[in-house]
Amino acid sequence: MANITKQNNNFADWYTDVCLGAKLFSYGSVKGTINYLPYGWAIWENIKSIIDAKLKETGSENVQLPIFIKTSDFAKEKEHIEGFAPEAFLVNKIGLETLSDPLIVRPTSEVLFSQLFQQEIFSYKNLPLKYNQWVSVYRAEKNTKPFLRGCEFFWHELHAVFDNQDECEKYVLEIHNLYNDFLIKQCALPILSGKKTENEKFAGAIDTYTREVFSIDGQCIQTGTSHFLGTSFSEMYDIKFQAKDNTFKHPYYMSAGITTRLIGDLIVVHGDDKGIVMPFDISPIQIQILTLFADKDQRVLAKANEIKELLNQYRVNINSKDESFGFKANEWEIKGIPFALVIGPKDLEQNTLTIIRRDLGTKTICNLNDLSPTIANFKVEYYNNLYNKANKHLNDSIVEINSIDELDTVIKSGKIGLAYWCGEAELEKTIKEKTSAAPRCVKEDNLNDDNLKCFLTNKKAKQRIYIARSY
């Protein structure tokens, strides 16, 4: 059985303990890399399948692009290269040959997609193009943490081009809302949702929309971003289309993505001292059947298989290994499987079994004739409990502040500051220097009161921003 550090004793050690104990990953030989083990990769596959279907409903098509980018191509977009150059992996040699134009191992794929669009776009008639790829990318992160921050991570990259600005910006918001819906409904994750501030937005973007998840230990995690890139990339890479008036114009560009960081989000938001707690829709195993004395009474395993068939609309697994019940229960708990069904010889006589809920730890004796409707009801209750618990933690952690000193106190207590803000980008550095926190996003509301003042400058406030520490 895994030995798990208590969250309150050392959250970082707890996180590592539950990830390793649930067998989500093992460490790679290169610092900052991990091996995704079957249970961990299955979580990502479930995330991927749901998002992929949602993206295709918006008209997106899947493609696959190369991993290498010429440095000379990458350097064409000034803001982009400045944002990613410190994290880029370079290939300087092939065999014994030194390359005059080193290759960058993709940290992101705006350049690659721009080159593809240059080949694909001719006329307004073949716009918009909405292309998506599922790949890994590489960034030389200094402080790594499995899933949450690594030198290699997996994601989807959606890139789309339009013949007009309005449609492009509408699609950015469509994807923004798609992500919001997915995180809330499938992952039971409450979020802070809004635009990034000037210094926090994606390198080269005009606008970046983000979703910020709040962990148990009081840190925000950027989870899924969508970017309006304007025409900067299409101008830099000379992408043009023939418009209706027969003139040639540069198309408008957007990109978006969600990464394997989401696996870490689920753990640090829903997990407890016993292990991870998986949302029902995402969990690789939704129902674990734990048998008692199946090796001595073959009827137990036969009944377990009948129950699995009865619940075939769910992902059900039978654990009939010759192990102690305590070992089986520990494995179920640490993996965060939503429901355990316990059945043994005595249950066969009474046509019952015991349902244990991972979220509450409650045990319910259920007649097998009532099993299907009971699971359906518990599924709804399970989601509501996970979401409401996390949402209460988020809302209870938001504190309105009116000065940098108040913000510093709030940040040190592991909470989120909500402040009126004049919008001056150069002041973001002041926040970081004095509190070690940063603006996470702009609150999605309108300020129409001229008397509202910025918490730093006392100038007229243009917006409200959430400020917190982050992974």
Side-chain angles (χ1 to χ4, degrees), residues 350-384:
Q350 300 174 6
N351 200 41
T352 62
L353 52 66
T354 300
I355 304 173
I356 311 176
R357 282 175 52 164
R358 180 62 182 85
D359 58 330
L360 299 174
T362 55
K363 298 180 180 180
T364 302
I365 297 175
C366 178
N367 189 287
L368 289 177
N369 296 330
D370 301 324
L371 183 58
S372 289
T374 301
I375 292 293
N377 290 334
F378 278 4
K379 177 186 172 184
V380 175
E381 291 178 10
Y382 183 89
Y383 166 84
N384 289 336

Side-chain angles (χ1 to χ4, degrees), residues 73 125 175 197 214 325 380 382 402 429 464 467:
D73 290 337
K125 294 179 181 180
I175 300 303
T197 55
F214 191 59
F325 179 77
V380 175
Y382 183 89
N402 296 295
K429 185 178 179 181
R464 287 203 287 176
I467 308 167

